[in-house]
């Protein structure tokens, strides 16, 4: 089925792929069109051929490159190219996923917009000449309501939704509405109503008028074709708007709504009663609200994770600790998709810049896209160099396998396919039990669970399976899930599934496992057994079941018991056999990013703590000899603010200014420090160098330096200036440490 | 007939001829051709109505209409400025506009709501007087740029003189412009609506006297002024040496008036009157605004009709009673409803809706759903809770609530209260209720945050042991971008900030979340909030 179709799709592409080393882009763009499923299926049949070709034969046009030893910069260049390729693929995947999640709601919204437009129109449109008259037209109060769509974004942070609203704007525009959006800055108390109207005019009329008013909008609307299109005004986040300005704006719009059919769309980040909290009641009663619900951030996150880490064919993956960190970061710190995507990007960049052999990913990618594999030649450039790198000590070599690059890569690929299938299968079950994909993923990536098999286990396993393992080194290890872990829960969950869910599950498995024939066969068998087990009841009955399964459940329990056990044992074996955490795969370093510290540092800067630590341990940064030698005593050559801050450590929350000044003075004019005068040049401040030879610094200059340092500390947010009540004390602002 | 009139006439002809050319050449791609303002725009325009119609259109406003007609006087009689006031939606604007429709006299209407600033107000008046309309051809510019009151007086006088001359000019000329009915007279009226909004503008203290004094400044007998406001004249006058305008008061509608208003224009009079007899009583006690009532009634009437659909249409006593008993449960929720949110049908949402229905249906009361239905990061949740606690608990109790035992000791410290202390407590309680949630400095918030996170971390680890790795870091991780979280809480209106810079001592915060909400949040992270709340 698939292969022939796939080759047809791929065939015309091959010519373009020939010159791939000069340019990635056309290759990539052309391939975007062919569906992912196709290319994945095609890999199956192409694999055998590919492997024979993978031996370093260096085909067309690369021999000359092959001769000269590639230097580091060339490698780096390759890695950067690979990074670009991988990241651009990931980015488009993420964008597609996000668009898909929103498309349904967007359609709903645009349908609703047109319904409301029809409702406005049906209540009687005034003649076009009266539209610009300054006095209100007489209609019933019901006609003066402003149709309002409340879009619940379900996330307190609005960062993700800015993009969503932008896309909503495009969507509505493409459906023939006039769209303008107002940000919270435009609805702030500072810019008031004039700012709102000006911004509306700027977006709709594309003119900037300094005396903006609604008359302009009305006459523009008449010019555009009176009552042909609705005008949609999007307010991105109602919580951040100034309530009184928004209320005034709404009341004004409602006076004009008969003349200009304006429809409001407002983003609500928190609860549905946010508009009631923000707006005044007389504005509130002008609204005729409908609500729309966007996917929750957790749902969107799941979709993105599934697409990027499981389904996506680019092999880049993350280690267990990184996954745990990302999960925690999402839950605890910053529940936005934006930060997750940023984290993925950072991970990608770090991986490709640190891992010498990471450029091999590109080769995997190319193979993935192109089943024949003969065009992946550009990456054959460095087989020798690569194997040199491979034999480097950083990769743990495994006996029993030849460390041939081709074998390694195809092994990695096979692993990846099976692993992602297992996780996806588990996720399908987990959907019924509300298990989050990220939790599952974290557990599936944990190398701790991949333990040596005890003898009794293995014998039992072999009894159960009756099959021999394909390769020798797989035998002694297996994935044993924790008793309280998510995977264990999920596997148990299968037992309790009602029949109709089980059927759904099996169907979804069949779809997922399509590309690994041995698993696929098992699923098919299960599905067959399910149908037989349910005997008389045909598939239609199963569909019916959803309606009245409560009543018929009793009947099914008996029938489906064995099949449930079978399914469970199948899932168990799936986990045991194919679930191998990435960090337990030889040469996983090629595709896996593990360095969680780097990611942490990049994402959680923790600037407050940093400032304080740096002030106290300034020697590490300045690296002057004088201070590094005697770490524990304060030297006058240190920077004033560090001296002050170190001295402040001796005080409590309140610091007596006089005491502080005295101790500062003592440190500054320390007699021992004179010996170090020569090395003073290494420290930065210029003032200090002014009169190094003058023995006694004047009190005034010390006082001035003291004041400067206090101000600096205050600016850094470590101090609070003296209050009126206690003028001789400053307070330490001591949070965060 | 003056020169100005001539130039005006020529200008008008050139304009209309150019428009005609446009039309002839068939270039009108737009549905509606450009609208050329004429003198007709200064009068109401539509066919005018008789006095009887006018009176019957506004039940309950007879005295006001007659008073206004008296004050406006017969054709061409000068008048003193009028000040029309009364509560919202008592028919001020509509009555005045309909009176002018009846009188068929030219007027200039400007609402201080649409004209949100002095400049737009001035320019809108001048545009109308000069028959200027902003459109793409003139780059959406006003006829005259006018920001200062002195400029405005000059331009206004010029424009008014021009207009009045036109009006006084021979009626034959106007007749050619197809002005029907009797002449317009040579009075022109300036109507300022929503005057109460001017008080919020900058420099309102000088604008208001200026507007009230405009009549004397211009000193033109041909100009009449009407001010419409929903607050009484006492809120404006400041004895600035101008003549007080004549007040005309629009009283609130009585229940009878409202019944007459609503019964008008109904198709099924009997049905509606029985509906009104059920509904109007309870609603009248809450609001008398026609706007609010009509919005509430329109949806209620639908349910009322549905409730009586299967009953026979003859409204006898028994069916009326049956209908009432069926309909009654709908009334009281509608009374509390300020703002109704419907959710349009959709394939995706339907499923979710079914679950959520219970929660969202009776909006206005407390949300009955158990769960927090939006995403918040854990550290934001803790911060919200600590803000809530800091607002509710007196600061003096912090030490005892958040000591190492984690709040449990506060239980033991309860004493048996004496009579006197109970009394004192009640007074305190009332005081606190009046004050609302208290304010707190940033330090206190962070201290509480640190306390409750450190307590919660332990329980968190117990709950889900699989995050046992690097648990030391966890605390600091929650803590790390706490200021960022605080700012996003402020943005979401959960915490209100006063002052500017968070590092200066002056800033104090106040939590605005309700207890329900806080409990919901606490439940979602399994935090024992009630243990830390100080109950008075």
């Amino acid at each position: 089925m698939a292969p022939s179709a796939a080759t047809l799709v791929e065939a015309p592409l091959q010519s373009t792929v020939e010159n791939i080393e000069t340019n990635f882009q056309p290759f990539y763009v052309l391939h975007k069109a062919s569906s992912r499923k196709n290319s994945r299926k095609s890999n199956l049949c192409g694999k055998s051929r590919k492997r024979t070709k993978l031996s370093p034969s260096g085909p067309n046009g690369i021999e000359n490159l092959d001769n000269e030893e590639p230097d580091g910069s060339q490698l780096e260049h390759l890695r950067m190219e690979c990074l670009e390729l991988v990241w651009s693929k990931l980015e488009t995947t993420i964008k597609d996923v996000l668009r898909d999640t929103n498309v349904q709601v967007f359609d709903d919204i645009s349908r609703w917009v047109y319904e409301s437009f029809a409702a406005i129109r049906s209540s009687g449109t005034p003649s076009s000449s009266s539209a610009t008259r300054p006095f209100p037209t007489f209609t019933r109060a019901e006609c003066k309501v402003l149709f309002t769509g409340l879009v619940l974004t379900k996330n307190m942070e609005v960062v993700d939704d800015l993009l969503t609203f932008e896309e909503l704007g495009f969507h509505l525009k493409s459906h023939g509405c006039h769209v303008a959006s107002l940000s919270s800055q435009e609805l702030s108390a500072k810019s008031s109503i004039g700012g709102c109207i000006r911004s509306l005019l700027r977006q709709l009329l594309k003119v900037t008028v300094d005396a903006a008013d609604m008359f302009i909008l009305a006459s523009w609307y008449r010019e555009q074709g009176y009552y042909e299109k609705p005008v949609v005004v999007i307010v991105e986040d109602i919580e951040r708007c100034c309530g009184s300005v928004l209320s005034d704006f709404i009341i004004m719009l409602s006076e004009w709504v008969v003349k200009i059919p304006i429809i409001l769309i407002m983003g609500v980040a928190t609860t549905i009663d946010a508009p009631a909290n923000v707006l005044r009641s007389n504005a509130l009663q002008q609204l005729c609200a409908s609500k729309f619900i966007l996917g929750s951030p957790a749902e969107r996150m799941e979709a993105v994770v599934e697409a990027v880490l499981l389904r996506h064919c680019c092999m880049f993956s993350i280690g267990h600790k990184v996954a745990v960190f990302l999960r925690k970061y999402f839950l605890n710190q910053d529940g936005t998709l934006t930060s997750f995507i940023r984290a993925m990007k950072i991970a990608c960049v770090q991986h490709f810049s640190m891992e010498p052999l990471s450029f091999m990913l590109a080769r995997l990618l190319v193979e993935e896209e192109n089943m024949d594999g003969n065009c992946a030649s550009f990456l054959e450039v460095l087989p020798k160099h690569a194997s040199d790198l491979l034999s480097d000590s950083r990769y743990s070599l495994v006996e029993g396998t030849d460390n041939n690059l081709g074998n390694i890569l195809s092994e990695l690929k096979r692993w990846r396919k099976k692993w992602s299938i297992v996780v996806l299968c588990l996720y399908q079950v987990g959907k019924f039990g509300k298990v989050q994909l990220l939790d599952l993923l974290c557990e599936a990536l944990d190398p701790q669970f991949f333990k040596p098999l005890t003898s009794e286990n293995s014998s039992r396993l072999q009894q159960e399976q009756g099959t021999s393992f394909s390769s020798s080194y797989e035998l002694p290890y297996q994935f044993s899930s924790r008793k309280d872990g998510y995977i264990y829960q999920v596997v148990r969950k299968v037992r309790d599934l009602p029949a109709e869910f089980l059927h759904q599950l099996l169907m979804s498995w069949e779809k997922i496992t399509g590309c690994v024939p041995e698993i696929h066969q098992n699923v098919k068998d299960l599905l067959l057994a399910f149908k037989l087990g349910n005997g008389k009841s045909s598939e239609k009955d199963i569909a019916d079941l959803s309606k009245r399964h409560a009543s018929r459940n009793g009947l099914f329990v008996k029938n489906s018991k064995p099949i449930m056990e079978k399914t469970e044992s199948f899932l168990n074996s799936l986990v045991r056999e194919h679930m191998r955490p990435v960090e337990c795969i030889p040469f996983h370093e090629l595709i896996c990013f593990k360095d969680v510290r780097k990611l942490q540092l990049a994402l959680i800067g923790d600037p407050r703590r940093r400032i304080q630590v740096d002030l106290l341990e300034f020697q590490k940064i300045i690296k002057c000899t004088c201070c590094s030698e005697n770490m524990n005593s304060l030297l006058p050559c240190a920077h004033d603010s560090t001296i002050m801050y170190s001295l402040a450590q001796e005080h409590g929350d309140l610091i007596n200014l006089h005491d502080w000044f005295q101790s500062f003075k003592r440190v500054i004019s320390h007699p021992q420090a004179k010996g170090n005068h020569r090395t003073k040049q290494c420290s930065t401040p210029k003032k200090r160098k002014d009169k190094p030879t003058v023995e006694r610094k004047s009190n005034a200059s010390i006082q001035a330096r003291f004041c400067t340092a206090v101000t600096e500390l205050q600016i850094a947010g470590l101090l609070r200036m003296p209050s009126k009540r206690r003028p001789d004390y400053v307070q330490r602002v001591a949070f965060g440490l | 007939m003056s020169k100005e009139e001539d130039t005006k006439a020529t200008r008008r002809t050139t304009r209309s001829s150019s428009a005609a050319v446009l039309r002839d050449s068939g270039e009108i791609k737009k549905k509606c051709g450009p609208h050329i303002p004429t003198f007709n725009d200064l009068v109401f325009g539509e066919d005018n109505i008789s006095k009887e119609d006018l009176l019957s259109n506004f039940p309950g406003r007879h005295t006001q209409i007659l008073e206004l007609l008296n004050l406006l006087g017969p054709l061409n009689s000068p008048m003193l400025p009028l000040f029309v006031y009364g509560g919202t939606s008592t028919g001020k604007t509509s009555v005045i506009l309909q009176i002018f429709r009846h009188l068929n006299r030219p007027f200039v209407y400007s609402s201080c709501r649409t004209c949100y600033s002095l400049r737009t107000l001035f320019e809108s008046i001048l545009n109308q007087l000069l028959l200027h309309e902003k459109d793409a051809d003139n780059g959406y510019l006003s006829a005259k740029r006018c920001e200062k009151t002195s400029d405005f007086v000059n331009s206004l006088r010029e424009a008014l003189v021009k207009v009045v001359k036109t009006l006084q000019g021979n009626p034959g000329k106007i007749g050619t412009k197809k002005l029907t009915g009797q002449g317009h007279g040579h009075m022109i009226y300036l109507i300022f609506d929503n005057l109460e909004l001017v008080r919020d503008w900058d420099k309102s203290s000088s604008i208001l006297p200026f507007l009230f004094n405009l009549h004397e400044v211009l000193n033109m007998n041909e100009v009449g002024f009407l001010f419409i406001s929903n607050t009484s004249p006492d809120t404006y006058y400041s004895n600035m040496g101008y003549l007080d305008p004549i007040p005309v008061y629009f009283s609130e509608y009585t229940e009878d008036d409202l019944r007459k208003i609503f019964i008008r224009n109904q198709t099924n009079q009997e049905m509606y009157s029985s509906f009104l007899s059920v509904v109007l009583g309870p609603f009248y006690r809450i609001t008398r605004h026609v706007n609010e009532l009509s919005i509430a009634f329109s949806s209620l009437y639908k349910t009322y009709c549905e409730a009586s659909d299967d009953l026979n249409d003859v409204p006898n006593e028994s069916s009326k009673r049956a209908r009432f008993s069926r309909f009654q449960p709908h009334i009281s929720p509608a009374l509390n409803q300020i703002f109704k949110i419907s959710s349009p049908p959709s394939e995706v949402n339907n499923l979710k809706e079914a679950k959520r229905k219970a929660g969202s249906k009776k909006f206005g009361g407390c949300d009955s759903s158990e769960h927090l239905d939006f995403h918040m990061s854990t550290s934001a949740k803790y911060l919200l809770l600590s803000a809530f606690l800091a607002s509710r608990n007196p600061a003096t109790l912090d030490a005892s609530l958040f000591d190492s035992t984690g709040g449990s000791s506060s239980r033991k410290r309860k004493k048996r209260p004496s009579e006197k202390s109970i009394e004192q407590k009640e007074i305190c309680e009332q005081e606190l209720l009046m004050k609302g949630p208290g304010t707190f400095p940033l330090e206190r918030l962070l201290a509480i945050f640190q306390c409750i996170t450190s307590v919660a971390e332990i329980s968190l680890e117990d709950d889900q042991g699989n995050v046992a790795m690097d648990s030391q870091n966890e605390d600091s991780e929650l803590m790390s971008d706490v200021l960022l979280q605080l700012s996003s809480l402020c943005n979401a209106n959960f915490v209100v900030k006063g002052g500017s810079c968070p590092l200066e001592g002056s800033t104090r915060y106040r939590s605005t979340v309700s207890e329900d909400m806080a409990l919901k949040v606490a439940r979602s992270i399994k935090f024992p909030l009630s243990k830390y709340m100080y109950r008075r």
Side-chain angles (χ1 to χ4, degrees), chain B residues 362-413:
Chain B
K362 49 167 194 171
F363 167 76
C366 61
D367 220 344
S368 65
S369 63
E370 288 286 291
H371 302 290
L372 201 65
D373 50 359
F374 61 94
H375 182 92
M376 242 169 130
S377 59
T378 314
S379 75
K381 278 177 184 168
Y382 277 115
L383 198 62
L384 181 70
L385 288 181
S386 35
F388 176 74
L389 288 175
S391 257
R392 290 303 149 101
N393 294 349
T396 44
L397 279 181
D398 279 357
S400 61
L401 282 172
F402 301 105
D403 59 358
S404 55
T405 54
S408 52
S409 67
S410 67
R411 285 278 155 99
K412 296 169 204 156
R413 273 166 69 274

Side-chain angles (χ1 to χ4, degrees), chain B residues 221-454:
Chain B
N221 282 332
E222 294 87 356
V223 186
F225 285 90
L226 287 95
F227 301 102
I228 308 176
S229 154
N230 63 10
T231 53
S232 79
D234 308 336
T235 54
Y236 298 94
Y237 297 162
S238 50
N239 286 330
M240 289 288 283
Y242 51 82
L243 209 62
D244 282 355
I246 303 164
V248 179
Y249 178 56
F250 275 57
S251 55
E252 297 266 318
Y253 287 116
T254 62
E255 200 173 336
D256 261 353
D257 297 338
L258 286 175
R259 184 168 289 119
K260 278 181 206 155
I261 290 170
F262 281 108
I263 207 90
R264 242 167 13 104
N265 306 331
Q266 287 299 332
T267 46
N268 192 344
Q269 296 266 345
E270 274 178 273
M271 176 83 122
Y272 205 82
S273 75
S274 67
F275 167 70
L276 280 183
S277 65
V278 175
V279 157
L280 198 55
F283 269 93
Y284 183 70
R285 260 173 268 142
I286 292 173
T287 176
R288 291 161 201 199
H289 297 179
V290 181
N291 268 341
E292 290 176 17
L293 286 176
S294 66
I295 288 167
F297 285 176
S298 67
S299 64
L300 264 182
Y301 185 55
K302 264 176 217 149
T303 52
Y304 185 74
C305 290
E306 278 162 22
S308 58
D309 250 356
D310 41 345
L311 297 169
N312 51 349
D313 264 347
V314 195
N316 53 20
E317 268 312 296
S318 64
S319 76
K320 226 180 208 173
R321 208 163 292 141
R323 202 179 288 154
F324 176 70
S325 64
R326 254 188 238 188
F327 176 63
Q328 202 184 14
H330 295 284
I331 298 179
S332 60
L335 283 175
N336 288 325
Q337 191 175 51
I338 329 157
F339 176 46
K340 190 175 148 194
I341 298 167
S342 60
S343 45
S346 133
E347 294 88 65
V348 168
N349 285 355
N350 272 348
L351 266 179
K352 296 178 193 164
E353 271 324 285
K355 285 182 222 151
R356 231 167 257 137
K357 210 157 232 171
S360 59
K361 253 283 165 67
K362 49 167 194 171
F363 167 76
C366 61
D367 220 344
S368 65
S369 63
E370 288 286 291
H371 302 290
L372 201 65
D373 50 359
F374 61 94
H375 182 92
M376 242 169 130
S377 59
T378 314
S379 75
K381 278 177 184 168
Y382 277 115
L383 198 62
L384 181 70
L385 288 181
S386 35
F388 176 74
L389 288 175
S391 257
R392 290 303 149 101
N393 294 349
T396 44
L397 279 181
D398 279 357
S400 61
L401 282 172
F402 301 105
D403 59 358
S404 55
T405 54
S408 52
S409 67
S410 67
R411 285 278 155 99
K412 296 169 204 156
R413 273 166 69 274
K414 270 183 188 164
K415 287 184 293 185
R416 189 159 296 263
S418 67
E419 294 270 310
K420 207 174 184 183
S421 69
I422 286 177
E423 215 169 88
Q424 275 179 342
K425 257 184 191 170
E426 270 171 9
I427 296 168
C428 275
E429 207 168 310
Q430 273 181 343
E431 224 168 71
L432 278 165
L433 203 71
M434 302 289 279
K435 276 184 196 160
T439 62
F440 49 87
L442 186 61
E443 279 78 17
R444 186 169 163 229
L445 173 71
L446 291 172
I448 294 178
F449 177 74
Q450 222 157 12
C451 284
I452 66 174
T453 44
S454 64

Side-chain angles (χ1 to χ4, degrees), chain A residues 599-613:
Chain A
L599 199 58
Q600 216 165 353
L601 213 62
L603 281 176
I604 308 178
D606 210 357
R608 294 191 56 79
R609 181 185 294 252
R610 207 63 249 165
I611 290 173
Q612 300 182 44
V613 168

